[in-house]
Amino acid sequence: MNYLPLQIIVTVFSLLVIYRLIKKFKDKTLKIGEFITWFLIWLGVLVVFWVPQTTSYFAFFLGIGRGVDLAVYVAVLLIFYLIFRLYLKADKQQKEITKLVRHLALNEREEDNE
Amino acid sequence: MKTFIIIPCLNESENIVKVINSVKEYGQVVIVDDCSIDNSYELALNQGIVVLKHYINRGQGASLETGDRYALKHGADIVIHFDSDGQHNSLEIPKLIEPLLLGKVDIVLGSRFLNSTDSTPFIKKYFILKPAILFQNILLGLNLTDTHNGFRALNRNALSKMHIKQDGMAHATEIVSLIKEHDLKYVEVPVTVSYNEFGQGFIGGLQILKDLLFSKLNK
């Protein structure tokens, strides 16, 4: 089967993401740990699409039948992990909003008294 | 003794004035309006009491914590948590704060089930509250007869140690766990709760469990 069109689409998309990652890292909106993690993930995507045999090698090593199955398993796990991280982040932001709202409520009362 | 009565309020224009007037004689009333969309805030303001306003709805736990911080800052010796929907009986306040005045305990928790005239609906009592109480007691190693009863009183020692971080309804379980964590002396006294609505249902219970779980993961 000819995967070339898909390989090109994924490559263009991955390079765009990597370009944005580098830009964000330079702007100091990404920490070095985050940058390296994301960079390796998207580099991994490129490797998997251009050298698909690598997934078969790892799949065999882990006792999974096909390389593509491994790729799907890893992708699903990664998505779940990211959703979890986002949930924790949203929860933290909710707490920060509460602190602000409380500060405002107490301050307003003190100002009214003055 | 400087007593503050903290009443979290959300859209309670029908009951708020009545509730304020029923508790006024027992101490300084502090209403925490949690972004009501009716005129609860204006009605409370007209009663000549302290009214704090949350500009964004944050939940009952967050409102109680706001009231607690206000009371602590203004020299409260005793703080009473009281519901704004008229479920609690203000005549029971002296009985609730008595153990605090005697210096026996740090916190007094109201319990519906110590009272023989308890009127909790059957399904709520045996399918929601009792299992929740059992679960809470096993989890925290305490021996309480009620859970999620918002009628409670704290002394200054308890107030300065307890910081409610659960914004939603999970605060009641959090308060119980804080009693254990800070080794506070507590006692339960029988109180009556009149039911206007069904209150916390099964889904509400699941939400509380979820909030507690994530609070452990997201410290």
Side-chain angles (χ1 to χ4, degrees), chain A residues 87-88 91-92 94 98 101-102 105 108-110, chain B residues 52-55 58 62 65-66 74 167 210 214 218:
Chain A
Y87 195 94
L88 291 185
D91 193 52
K92 203 174 170 186
Q94 288 292 325
T98 299
V101 169
R102 178 169 301 128
E108 196 177 68
R109 171 70 198 173
E110 299 304 326
Chain B
L52 306 171
K53 185 170 178 62
H54 280 181
Y55 280 98
R58 302 314 298 154
E65 177 64 9
T66 301
H74 290 83
D167 290 349
K210 189 211 81 185
F214 275 96
N218 211 13

mmCIF file with all atom_site columns, all heavy atoms in Angstrom, chain A residues 87-88 91-92 94 98 101-102 105 108-110, chain B residues 52-55 58 62 65-66 74 167 210 214 218:
data_model
loop_
_atom_site.group_PDB
_atom_site.id
_atom_site.type_symbol
_atom_site.label_atom_id
_atom_site.label_alt_id
_atom_site.label_comp_id
_atom_site.label_asym_id
_atom_site.label_entity_id
_atom_site.label_seq_id
_atom_site.pdbx_PDB_ins_code
_atom_site.Cartn_x
_atom_site.Cartn_y
_atom_site.Cartn_z
_atom_site.occupancy
_atom_site.B_iso_or_equiv
_atom_site.pdbx_formal_charge
_atom_site.auth_seq_id
_atom_site.auth_comp_id
_atom_site.auth_asym_id
_atom_site.auth_atom_id
_atom_site.pdbx_PDB_model_num
ATOM 1   N N   . TYR A 1 87  ? -7.820  18.062 33.453 1.00 0.00 ? 87  TYR A N   1
ATOM 2   C CA  . TYR A 1 87  ? -8.829  18.103 34.506 1.00 0.00 ? 87  TYR A CA  1
ATOM 3   C C   . TYR A 1 87  ? -8.236  18.663 35.795 1.00 0.00 ? 87  TYR A C   1
ATOM 4   O O   . TYR A 1 87  ? -8.830  19.510 36.452 1.00 0.00 ? 87  TYR A O   1
ATOM 5   C CB  . TYR A 1 87  ? -9.378  16.691 34.741 1.00 0.00 ? 87  TYR A CB  1
ATOM 6   C CG  . TYR A 1 87  ? -10.657 16.722 35.528 1.00 0.00 ? 87  TYR A CG  1
ATOM 7   C CD1 . TYR A 1 87  ? -11.889 16.730 34.887 1.00 0.00 ? 87  TYR A CD1 1
ATOM 8   C CD2 . TYR A 1 87  ? -10.632 16.791 36.916 1.00 0.00 ? 87  TYR A CD2 1
ATOM 9   C CE1 . TYR A 1 87  ? -13.059 16.808 35.603 1.00 0.00 ? 87  TYR A CE1 1
ATOM 10  C CE2 . TYR A 1 87  ? -11.800 16.857 37.646 1.00 0.00 ? 87  TYR A CE2 1
ATOM 11  C CZ  . TYR A 1 87  ? -13.008 16.866 36.984 1.00 0.00 ? 87  TYR A CZ  1
ATOM 12  O OH  . TYR A 1 87  ? -14.167 16.949 37.699 1.00 0.00 ? 87  TYR A OH  1
ATOM 13  N N   . LEU A 1 88  ? -7.038  18.201 36.128 1.00 0.00 ? 88  LEU A N   1
ATOM 14  C CA  . LEU A 1 88  ? -6.385  18.694 37.345 1.00 0.00 ? 88  LEU A CA  1
ATOM 15  C C   . LEU A 1 88  ? -6.094  20.190 37.247 1.00 0.00 ? 88  LEU A C   1
ATOM 16  O O   . LEU A 1 88  ? -6.257  20.933 38.200 1.00 0.00 ? 88  LEU A O   1
ATOM 17  C CB  . LEU A 1 88  ? -5.087  17.931 37.605 1.00 0.00 ? 88  LEU A CB  1
ATOM 18  C CG  . LEU A 1 88  ? -5.217  16.461 38.008 1.00 0.00 ? 88  LEU A CG  1
ATOM 19  C CD1 . LEU A 1 88  ? -3.852  15.879 38.344 1.00 0.00 ? 88  LEU A CD1 1
ATOM 20  C CD2 . LEU A 1 88  ? -6.140  16.277 39.206 1.00 0.00 ? 88  LEU A CD2 1
ATOM 21  N N   . ASP A 1 91  ? -9.252  22.131 37.688 1.00 0.00 ? 91  ASP A N   1
ATOM 22  C CA  . ASP A 1 91  ? -9.634  22.104 39.101 1.00 0.00 ? 91  ASP A CA  1
ATOM 23  C C   . ASP A 1 91  ? -8.816  23.132 39.898 1.00 0.00 ? 91  ASP A C   1
ATOM 24  O O   . ASP A 1 91  ? -9.349  23.853 40.741 1.00 0.00 ? 91  ASP A O   1
ATOM 25  C CB  . ASP A 1 91  ? -9.381  20.689 39.634 1.00 0.00 ? 91  ASP A CB  1
ATOM 26  C CG  . ASP A 1 91  ? -10.021 20.470 40.986 1.00 0.00 ? 91  ASP A CG  1
ATOM 27  O OD1 . ASP A 1 91  ? -11.218 20.743 41.095 1.00 0.00 ? 91  ASP A OD1 1
ATOM 28  O OD2 . ASP A 1 91  ? -9.312  20.036 41.924 1.00 0.00 ? 91  ASP A OD2 1
ATOM 29  N N   . LYS A 1 92  ? -7.532  23.199 39.583 1.00 0.00 ? 92  LYS A N   1
ATOM 30  C CA  . LYS A 1 92  ? -6.649  24.152 40.256 1.00 0.00 ? 92  LYS A CA  1
ATOM 31  C C   . LYS A 1 92  ? -7.078  25.591 39.950 1.00 0.00 ? 92  LYS A C   1
ATOM 32  O O   . LYS A 1 92  ? -7.094  26.454 40.841 1.00 0.00 ? 92  LYS A O   1
ATOM 33  C CB  . LYS A 1 92  ? -5.209  23.913 39.780 1.00 0.00 ? 92  LYS A CB  1
ATOM 34  C CG  . LYS A 1 92  ? -4.166  24.403 40.737 1.00 0.00 ? 92  LYS A CG  1
ATOM 35  C CD  . LYS A 1 92  ? -2.811  23.997 40.260 1.00 0.00 ? 92  LYS A CD  1
ATOM 36  C CE  . LYS A 1 92  ? -1.754  24.694 41.094 1.00 0.00 ? 92  LYS A CE  1
ATOM 37  N NZ  . LYS A 1 92  ? -0.418  24.435 40.564 1.00 0.00 ? 92  LYS A NZ  1
ATOM 38  N N   . GLN A 1 94  ? -10.057 26.577 39.158 1.00 0.00 ? 94  GLN A N   1
ATOM 39  C CA  . GLN A 1 94  ? -11.307 26.828 39.883 1.00 0.00 ? 94  GLN A CA  1
ATOM 40  C C   . GLN A 1 94  ? -11.009 27.313 41.304 1.00 0.00 ? 94  GLN A C   1
ATOM 41  O O   . GLN A 1 94  ? -11.638 28.236 41.807 1.00 0.00 ? 94  GLN A O   1
ATOM 42  C CB  . GLN A 1 94  ? -12.145 25.544 39.953 1.00 0.00 ? 94  GLN A CB  1
ATOM 43  C CG  . GLN A 1 94  ? -12.774 25.130 38.654 1.00 0.00 ? 94  GLN A CG  1
ATOM 44  C CD  . GLN A 1 94  ? -13.861 26.077 38.200 1.00 0.00 ? 94  GLN A CD  1
ATOM 45  O OE1 . GLN A 1 94  ? -14.596 26.628 39.021 1.00 0.00 ? 94  GLN A OE1 1
ATOM 46  N NE2 . GLN A 1 94  ? -13.945 26.307 36.919 1.00 0.00 ? 94  GLN A NE2 1
ATOM 47  N N   . THR A 1 98  ? -11.886 30.892 43.141 1.00 0.00 ? 98  THR A N   1
ATOM 48  C CA  . THR A 1 98  ? -12.550 31.007 44.450 1.00 0.00 ? 98  THR A CA  1
ATOM 49  C C   . THR A 1 98  ? -11.792 31.973 45.359 1.00 0.00 ? 98  THR A C   1
ATOM 50  O O   . THR A 1 98  ? -12.388 32.820 46.025 1.00 0.00 ? 98  THR A O   1
ATOM 51  C CB  . THR A 1 98  ? -12.648 29.616 45.116 1.00 0.00 ? 98  THR A CB  1
ATOM 52  O OG1 . THR A 1 98  ? -13.421 28.778 44.277 1.00 0.00 ? 98  THR A OG1 1
ATOM 53  C CG2 . THR A 1 98  ? -13.303 29.694 46.487 1.00 0.00 ? 98  THR A CG2 1
ATOM 54  N N   . VAL A 1 101 ? -12.473 35.505 44.222 1.00 0.00 ? 101 VAL A N   1
ATOM 55  C CA  . VAL A 1 101 ? -13.849 35.915 44.531 1.00 0.00 ? 101 VAL A CA  1
ATOM 56  C C   . VAL A 1 101 ? -13.980 36.219 46.028 1.00 0.00 ? 101 VAL A C   1
ATOM 57  O O   . VAL A 1 101 ? -14.608 37.198 46.433 1.00 0.00 ? 101 VAL A O   1
ATOM 58  C CB  . VAL A 1 101 ? -14.846 34.805 44.094 1.00 0.00 ? 101 VAL A CB  1
ATOM 59  C CG1 . VAL A 1 101 ? -16.241 35.073 44.629 1.00 0.00 ? 101 VAL A CG1 1
ATOM 60  C CG2 . VAL A 1 101 ? -14.882 34.704 42.580 1.00 0.00 ? 101 VAL A CG2 1
ATOM 61  N N   . ARG A 1 102 ? -13.330 35.383 46.851 1.00 0.00 ? 102 ARG A N   1
ATOM 62  C CA  . ARG A 1 102 ? -13.382 35.582 48.317 1.00 0.00 ? 102 ARG A CA  1
ATOM 63  C C   . ARG A 1 102 ? -12.676 36.882 48.693 1.00 0.00 ? 102 ARG A C   1
ATOM 64  O O   . ARG A 1 102 ? -13.192 37.674 49.490 1.00 0.00 ? 102 ARG A O   1
ATOM 65  C CB  . ARG A 1 102 ? -12.718 34.385 49.003 1.00 0.00 ? 102 ARG A CB  1
ATOM 66  C CG  . ARG A 1 102 ? -12.677 34.523 50.531 1.00 0.00 ? 102 ARG A CG  1
ATOM 67  C CD  . ARG A 1 102 ? -12.267 33.223 51.185 1.00 0.00 ? 102 ARG A CD  1
ATOM 68  N NE  . ARG A 1 102 ? -13.192 32.179 50.831 1.00 0.00 ? 102 ARG A NE  1
ATOM 69  C CZ  . ARG A 1 102 ? -12.838 30.985 50.329 1.00 0.00 ? 102 ARG A CZ  1
ATOM 70  N NH1 . ARG A 1 102 ? -11.571 30.706 50.153 1.00 0.00 ? 102 ARG A NH1 1
ATOM 71  N NH2 . ARG A 1 102 ? -13.743 30.089 50.029 1.00 0.00 ? 102 ARG A NH2 1
ATOM 72  N N   . ALA A 1 105 ? -14.860 39.754 47.855 1.00 0.00 ? 105 ALA A N   1
ATOM 73  C CA  . ALA A 1 105 ? -16.019 39.861 48.760 1.00 0.00 ? 105 ALA A CA  1
ATOM 74  C C   . ALA A 1 105 ? -15.605 40.485 50.087 1.00 0.00 ? 105 ALA A C   1
ATOM 75  O O   . ALA A 1 105 ? -16.283 41.381 50.604 1.00 0.00 ? 105 ALA A O   1
ATOM 76  C CB  . ALA A 1 105 ? -16.625 38.479 48.994 1.00 0.00 ? 105 ALA A CB  1
ATOM 77  N N   . GLU A 1 108 ? -14.362 44.246 49.596 1.00 0.00 ? 108 GLU A N   1
ATOM 78  C CA  . GLU A 1 108 ? -15.465 45.167 49.327 1.00 0.00 ? 108 GLU A CA  1
ATOM 79  C C   . GLU A 1 108 ? -16.173 45.550 50.626 1.00 0.00 ? 108 GLU A C   1
ATOM 80  O O   . GLU A 1 108 ? -16.527 46.706 50.840 1.00 0.00 ? 108 GLU A O   1
ATOM 81  C CB  . GLU A 1 108 ? -16.452 44.513 48.362 1.00 0.00 ? 108 GLU A CB  1
ATOM 82  C CG  . GLU A 1 108 ? -17.392 45.522 47.746 1.00 0.00 ? 108 GLU A CG  1
ATOM 83  C CD  . GLU A 1 108 ? -18.321 44.865 46.745 1.00 0.00 ? 108 GLU A CD  1
ATOM 84  O OE1 . GLU A 1 108 ? -19.190 44.073 47.153 1.00 0.00 ? 108 GLU A OE1 1
ATOM 85  O OE2 . GLU A 1 108 ? -18.162 45.144 45.557 1.00 0.00 ? 108 GLU A OE2 1
ATOM 86  N N   . ARG A 1 109 ? -16.332 44.569 51.481 1.00 0.00 ? 109 ARG A N   1
ATOM 87  C CA  . ARG A 1 109 ? -16.988 44.811 52.777 1.00 0.00 ? 109 ARG A CA  1
ATOM 88  C C   . ARG A 1 109 ? -16.150 45.789 53.629 1.00 0.00 ? 109 ARG A C   1
ATOM 89  O O   . ARG A 1 109 ? -16.681 46.722 54.232 1.00 0.00 ? 109 ARG A O   1
ATOM 90  C CB  . ARG A 1 109 ? -17.164 43.484 53.498 1.00 0.00 ? 109 ARG A CB  1
ATOM 91  C CG  . ARG A 1 109 ? -17.634 43.571 54.913 1.00 0.00 ? 109 ARG A CG  1
ATOM 92  C CD  . ARG A 1 109 ? -19.074 44.015 55.023 1.00 0.00 ? 109 ARG A CD  1
ATOM 93  N NE  . ARG A 1 109 ? -19.335 44.498 56.384 1.00 0.00 ? 109 ARG A NE  1
ATOM 94  C CZ  . ARG A 1 109 ? -20.451 45.072 56.774 1.00 0.00 ? 109 ARG A CZ  1
ATOM 95  N NH1 . ARG A 1 109 ? -21.414 45.273 55.919 1.00 0.00 ? 109 ARG A NH1 1
ATOM 96  N NH2 . ARG A 1 109 ? -20.609 45.467 58.008 1.00 0.00 ? 109 ARG A NH2 1
ATOM 97  N N   . GLU A 1 110 ? -14.827 45.559 53.626 1.00 0.00 ? 110 GLU A N   1
ATOM 98  C CA  . GLU A 1 110 ? -13.935 46.447 54.409 1.00 0.00 ? 110 GLU A CA  1
ATOM 99  C C   . GLU A 1 110 ? -13.996 47.876 53.860 1.00 0.00 ? 110 GLU A C   1
ATOM 100 O O   . GLU A 1 110 ? -14.027 48.832 54.622 1.00 0.00 ? 110 GLU A O   1
ATOM 101 C CB  . GLU A 1 110 ? -12.492 45.937 54.374 1.00 0.00 ? 110 GLU A CB  1
ATOM 102 C CG  . GLU A 1 110 ? -12.280 44.542 54.960 1.00 0.00 ? 110 GLU A CG  1
ATOM 103 C CD  . GLU A 1 110 ? -12.773 44.412 56.401 1.00 0.00 ? 110 GLU A CD  1
ATOM 104 O OE1 . GLU A 1 110 ? -12.685 45.379 57.164 1.00 0.00 ? 110 GLU A OE1 1
ATOM 105 O OE2 . GLU A 1 110 ? -13.292 43.328 56.738 1.00 0.00 ? 110 GLU A OE2 1
ATOM 106 N N   . LEU B 2 52  ? -21.791 39.655 52.539 1.00 0.00 ? 52  LEU B N   1
ATOM 107 C CA  . LEU B 2 52  ? -20.624 39.520 51.665 1.00 0.00 ? 52  LEU B CA  1
ATOM 108 C C   . LEU B 2 52  ? -21.114 38.968 50.334 1.00 0.00 ? 52  LEU B C   1
ATOM 109 O O   . LEU B 2 52  ? -21.989 38.103 50.316 1.00 0.00 ? 52  LEU B O   1
ATOM 110 C CB  . LEU B 2 52  ? -19.595 38.565 52.278 1.00 0.00 ? 52  LEU B CB  1
ATOM 111 C CG  . LEU B 2 52  ? -19.126 38.893 53.699 1.00 0.00 ? 52  LEU B CG  1
ATOM 112 C CD1 . LEU B 2 52  ? -18.290 37.753 54.259 1.00 0.00 ? 52  LEU B CD1 1
ATOM 113 C CD2 . LEU B 2 52  ? -18.324 40.180 53.723 1.00 0.00 ? 52  LEU B CD2 1
ATOM 114 N N   . LYS B 2 53  ? -20.545 39.480 49.247 1.00 0.00 ? 53  LYS B N   1
ATOM 115 C CA  . LYS B 2 53  ? -21.046 39.049 47.941 1.00 0.00 ? 53  LYS B CA  1
ATOM 116 C C   . LYS B 2 53  ? -19.983 38.344 47.102 1.00 0.00 ? 53  LYS B C   1
ATOM 117 O O   . LYS B 2 53  ? -18.917 38.899 46.866 1.00 0.00 ? 53  LYS B O   1
ATOM 118 C CB  . LYS B 2 53  ? -21.574 40.261 47.170 1.00 0.00 ? 53  LYS B CB  1
ATOM 119 C CG  . LYS B 2 53  ? -22.222 39.864 45.849 1.00 0.00 ? 53  LYS B CG  1
ATOM 120 C CD  . LYS B 2 53  ? -22.949 41.021 45.217 1.00 0.00 ? 53  LYS B CD  1
ATOM 121 C CE  . LYS B 2 53  ? -23.543 40.645 43.874 1.00 0.00 ? 53  LYS B CE  1
ATOM 122 N NZ  . LYS B 2 53  ? -24.552 39.586 43.940 1.00 0.00 ? 53  LYS B NZ  1
ATOM 123 N N   . HIS B 2 54  ? -20.299 37.135 46.670 1.00 0.00 ? 54  HIS B N   1
ATOM 124 C CA  . HIS B 2 54  ? -19.463 36.443 45.676 1.00 0.00 ? 54  HIS B CA  1
ATOM 125 C C   . HIS B 2 54  ? -19.932 36.880 44.294 1.00 0.00 ? 54  HIS B C   1
ATOM 126 O O   . HIS B 2 54  ? -21.104 36.710 43.972 1.00 0.00 ? 54  HIS B O   1
ATOM 127 C CB  . HIS B 2 54  ? -19.640 34.923 45.789 1.00 0.00 ? 54  HIS B CB  1
ATOM 128 C CG  . HIS B 2 54  ? -18.852 34.288 46.894 1.00 0.00 ? 54  HIS B CG  1
ATOM 129 N ND1 . HIS B 2 54  ? -18.878 32.942 47.136 1.00 0.00 ? 54  HIS B ND1 1
ATOM 130 C CD2 . HIS B 2 54  ? -17.985 34.807 47.798 1.00 0.00 ? 54  HIS B CD2 1
ATOM 131 C CE1 . HIS B 2 54  ? -18.078 32.661 48.145 1.00 0.00 ? 54  HIS B CE1 1
ATOM 132 N NE2 . HIS B 2 54  ? -17.532 33.777 48.579 1.00 0.00 ? 54  HIS B NE2 1
ATOM 133 N N   . TYR B 2 55  ? -19.029 37.430 43.509 1.00 0.00 ? 55  TYR B N   1
ATOM 134 C CA  . TYR B 2 55  ? -19.431 37.887 42.181 1.00 0.00 ? 55  TYR B CA  1
ATOM 135 C C   . TYR B 2 55  ? -19.551 36.752 41.177 1.00 0.00 ? 55  TYR B C   1
ATOM 136 O O   . TYR B 2 55  ? -20.101 36.912 40.092 1.00 0.00 ? 55  TYR B O   1
ATOM 137 C CB  . TYR B 2 55  ? -18.458 38.958 41.662 1.00 0.00 ? 55  TYR B CB  1
ATOM 138 C CG  . TYR B 2 55  ? -18.773 40.298 42.272 1.00 0.00 ? 55  TYR B CG  1
ATOM 139 C CD1 . TYR B 2 55  ? -18.073 40.777 43.368 1.00 0.00 ? 55  TYR B CD1 1
ATOM 140 C CD2 . TYR B 2 55  ? -19.823 41.060 41.774 1.00 0.00 ? 55  TYR B CD2 1
ATOM 141 C CE1 . TYR B 2 55  ? -18.392 41.989 43.945 1.00 0.00 ? 55  TYR B CE1 1
ATOM 142 C CE2 . TYR B 2 55  ? -20.148 42.272 42.339 1.00 0.00 ? 55  TYR B CE2 1
ATOM 143 C CZ  . TYR B 2 55  ? -19.425 42.738 43.425 1.00 0.00 ? 55  TYR B CZ  1
ATOM 144 O OH  . TYR B 2 55  ? -19.762 43.933 43.994 1.00 0.00 ? 55  TYR B OH  1
ATOM 145 N N   . ARG B 2 58  ? -19.625 30.153 43.606 1.00 0.00 ? 58  ARG B N   1
ATOM 146 C CA  . ARG B 2 58  ? -18.514 29.262 43.949 1.00 0.00 ? 58  ARG B CA  1
ATOM 147 C C   . ARG B 2 58  ? -18.936 28.041 44.761 1.00 0.00 ? 58  ARG B C   1
ATOM 148 O O   . ARG B 2 58  ? -18.120 27.181 45.040 1.00 0.00 ? 58  ARG B O   1
ATOM 149 C CB  . ARG B 2 58  ? -17.419 30.020 44.750 1.00 0.00 ? 58  ARG B CB  1
ATOM 150 C CG  . ARG B 2 58  ? -16.814 31.213 44.093 1.00 0.00 ? 58  ARG B CG  1
ATOM 151 C CD  . ARG B 2 58  ? -16.441 30.992 42.660 1.00 0.00 ? 58  ARG B CD  1
ATOM 152 N NE  . ARG B 2 58  ? -15.440 29.959 42.472 1.00 0.00 ? 58  ARG B NE  1
ATOM 153 C CZ  . ARG B 2 58  ? -15.305 29.252 41.354 1.00 0.00 ? 58  ARG B CZ  1
ATOM 154 N NH1 . ARG B 2 58  ? -16.132 29.429 40.352 1.00 0.00 ? 58  ARG B NH1 1
ATOM 155 N NH2 . ARG B 2 58  ? -14.377 28.332 41.253 1.00 0.00 ? 58  ARG B NH2 1
ATOM 156 N N   . ALA B 2 62  ? -17.379 27.125 49.585 1.00 0.00 ? 62  ALA B N   1
ATOM 157 C CA  . ALA B 2 62  ? -16.626 28.370 49.381 1.00 0.00 ? 62  ALA B CA  1
ATOM 158 C C   . ALA B 2 62  ? -17.278 29.515 50.147 1.00 0.00 ? 62  ALA B C   1
ATOM 159 O O   . ALA B 2 62  ? -16.589 30.361 50.738 1.00 0.00 ? 62  ALA B O   1
ATOM 160 C CB  . ALA B 2 62  ? -16.564 28.695 47.895 1.00 0.00 ? 62  ALA B CB  1
ATOM 161 N N   . GLU B 2 65  ? -16.511 29.255 53.852 1.00 0.00 ? 65  GLU B N   1
ATOM 162 C CA  . GLU B 2 65  ? -15.127 29.635 54.123 1.00 0.00 ? 65  GLU B CA  1
ATOM 163 C C   . GLU B 2 65  ? -14.972 31.163 54.099 1.00 0.00 ? 65  GLU B C   1
ATOM 164 O O   . GLU B 2 65  ? -14.267 31.742 54.923 1.00 0.00 ? 65  GLU B O   1
ATOM 165 C CB  . GLU B 2 65  ? -14.191 28.962 53.096 1.00 0.00 ? 65  GLU B CB  1
ATOM 166 C CG  . GLU B 2 65  ? -12.713 29.317 53.211 1.00 0.00 ? 65  GLU B CG  1
ATOM 167 C CD  . GLU B 2 65  ? -12.044 28.873 54.505 1.00 0.00 ? 65  GLU B CD  1
ATOM 168 O OE1 . GLU B 2 65  ? -12.662 28.133 55.291 1.00 0.00 ? 65  GLU B OE1 1
ATOM 169 O OE2 . GLU B 2 65  ? -10.891 29.301 54.740 1.00 0.00 ? 65  GLU B OE2 1
ATOM 170 N N   . THR B 2 66  ? -15.653 31.822 53.161 1.00 0.00 ? 66  THR B N   1
ATOM 171 C CA  . THR B 2 66  ? -15.609 33.291 53.101 1.00 0.00 ? 66  THR B CA  1
ATOM 172 C C   . THR B 2 66  ? -16.154 33.879 54.409 1.00 0.00 ? 66  THR B C   1
ATOM 173 O O   . THR B 2 66  ? -15.546 34.771 55.010 1.00 0.00 ? 66  THR B O   1
ATOM 174 C CB  . THR B 2 66  ? -16.431 33.812 51.902 1.00 0.00 ? 66  THR B CB  1
ATOM 175 O OG1 . THR B 2 66  ? -15.883 33.257 50.705 1.00 0.00 ? 66  THR B OG1 1
ATOM 176 C CG2 . THR B 2 66  ? -16.401 35.325 51.810 1.00 0.00 ? 66  THR B CG2 1
ATOM 177 N N   . HIS B 2 74  ? -12.722 39.325 62.462 1.00 0.00 ? 74  HIS B N   1
ATOM 178 C CA  . HIS B 2 74  ? -13.437 40.268 63.322 1.00 0.00 ? 74  HIS B CA  1
ATOM 179 C C   . HIS B 2 74  ? -13.631 39.753 64.741 1.00 0.00 ? 74  HIS B C   1
ATOM 180 O O   . HIS B 2 74  ? -14.574 40.133 65.431 1.00 0.00 ? 74  HIS B O   1
ATOM 181 C CB  . HIS B 2 74  ? -14.767 40.677 62.677 1.00 0.00 ? 74  HIS B CB  1
ATOM 182 C CG  . HIS B 2 74  ? -14.556 41.539 61.475 1.00 0.00 ? 74  HIS B CG  1
ATOM 183 N ND1 . HIS B 2 74  ? -14.267 41.031 60.222 1.00 0.00 ? 74  HIS B ND1 1
ATOM 184 C CD2 . HIS B 2 74  ? -14.519 42.900 61.329 1.00 0.00 ? 74  HIS B CD2 1
ATOM 185 C CE1 . HIS B 2 74  ? -14.091 42.021 59.376 1.00 0.00 ? 74  HIS B CE1 1
ATOM 186 N NE2 . HIS B 2 74  ? -14.231 43.164 60.015 1.00 0.00 ? 74  HIS B NE2 1
ATOM 187 N N   . ASP B 2 167 ? -15.093 23.609 47.576 1.00 0.00 ? 167 ASP B N   1
ATOM 188 C CA  . ASP B 2 167 ? -16.039 24.679 47.273 1.00 0.00 ? 167 ASP B CA  1
ATOM 189 C C   . ASP B 2 167 ? -17.484 24.195 47.252 1.00 0.00 ? 167 ASP B C   1
ATOM 190 O O   . ASP B 2 167 ? -18.396 24.939 47.579 1.00 0.00 ? 167 ASP B O   1
ATOM 191 C CB  . ASP B 2 167 ? -15.713 25.298 45.904 1.00 0.00 ? 167 ASP B CB  1
ATOM 192 C CG  . ASP B 2 167 ? -14.422 26.086 45.948 1.00 0.00 ? 167 ASP B CG  1
ATOM 193 O OD1 . ASP B 2 167 ? -13.910 26.314 47.058 1.00 0.00 ? 167 ASP B OD1 1
ATOM 194 O OD2 . ASP B 2 167 ? -13.923 26.467 44.876 1.00 0.00 ? 167 ASP B OD2 1
ATOM 195 N N   . LYS B 2 210 ? -16.437 12.438 43.810 1.00 0.00 ? 210 LYS B N   1
ATOM 196 C CA  . LYS B 2 210 ? -15.505 12.879 42.771 1.00 0.00 ? 210 LYS B CA  1
ATOM 197 C C   . LYS B 2 210 ? -14.674 14.063 43.262 1.00 0.00 ? 210 LYS B C   1
ATOM 198 O O   . LYS B 2 210 ? -13.451 14.086 43.101 1.00 0.00 ? 210 LYS B O   1
ATOM 199 C CB  . LYS B 2 210 ? -16.289 13.269 41.510 1.00 0.00 ? 210 LYS B CB  1
ATOM 200 C CG  . LYS B 2 210 ? -15.424 13.536 40.316 1.00 0.00 ? 210 LYS B CG  1
ATOM 201 C CD  . LYS B 2 210 ? -16.028 14.572 39.407 1.00 0.00 ? 210 LYS B CD  1
ATOM 202 C CE  . LYS B 2 210 ? -15.744 15.944 39.928 1.00 0.00 ? 210 LYS B CE  1
ATOM 203 N NZ  . LYS B 2 210 ? -16.333 17.048 39.245 1.00 0.00 ? 210 LYS B NZ  1
ATOM 204 N N   . PHE B 2 214 ? -10.543 14.031 43.668 1.00 0.00 ? 214 PHE B N   1
ATOM 205 C CA  . PHE B 2 214 ? -9.650  14.923 42.946 1.00 0.00 ? 214 PHE B CA  1
ATOM 206 C C   . PHE B 2 214 ? -8.905  15.881 43.871 1.00 0.00 ? 214 PHE B C   1
ATOM 207 O O   . PHE B 2 214 ? -7.796  16.301 43.570 1.00 0.00 ? 214 PHE B O   1
ATOM 208 C CB  . PHE B 2 214 ? -10.400 15.675 41.845 1.00 0.00 ? 214 PHE B CB  1
ATOM 209 C CG  . PHE B 2 214 ? -10.479 14.875 40.580 1.00 0.00 ? 214 PHE B CG  1
ATOM 210 C CD1 . PHE B 2 214 ? -11.587 14.114 40.291 1.00 0.00 ? 214 PHE B CD1 1
ATOM 211 C CD2 . PHE B 2 214 ? -9.410  14.838 39.708 1.00 0.00 ? 214 PHE B CD2 1
ATOM 212 C CE1 . PHE B 2 214 ? -11.656 13.346 39.146 1.00 0.00 ? 214 PHE B CE1 1
ATOM 213 C CE2 . PHE B 2 214 ? -9.450  14.066 38.556 1.00 0.00 ? 214 PHE B CE2 1
ATOM 214 C CZ  . PHE B 2 214 ? -10.576 13.324 38.276 1.00 0.00 ? 214 PHE B CZ  1
ATOM 215 N N   . ASN B 2 218 ? -4.965  16.630 43.708 1.00 0.00 ? 218 ASN B N   1
ATOM 216 C CA  . ASN B 2 218 ? -4.624  17.966 43.223 1.00 0.00 ? 218 ASN B CA  1
ATOM 217 C C   . ASN B 2 218 ? -4.333  18.916 44.368 1.00 0.00 ? 218 ASN B C   1
ATOM 218 O O   . ASN B 2 218 ? -4.884  19.997 44.437 1.00 0.00 ? 218 ASN B O   1
ATOM 219 C CB  . ASN B 2 218 ? -5.801  18.491 42.397 1.00 0.00 ? 218 ASN B CB  1
ATOM 220 C CG  . ASN B 2 218 ? -5.341  19.416 41.299 1.00 0.00 ? 218 ASN B CG  1
ATOM 221 O OD1 . ASN B 2 218 ? -4.157  19.476 40.998 1.00 0.00 ? 218 ASN B OD1 1
ATOM 222 N ND2 . ASN B 2 218 ? -6.265  20.124 40.702 1.00 0.00 ? 218 ASN B ND2 1
#
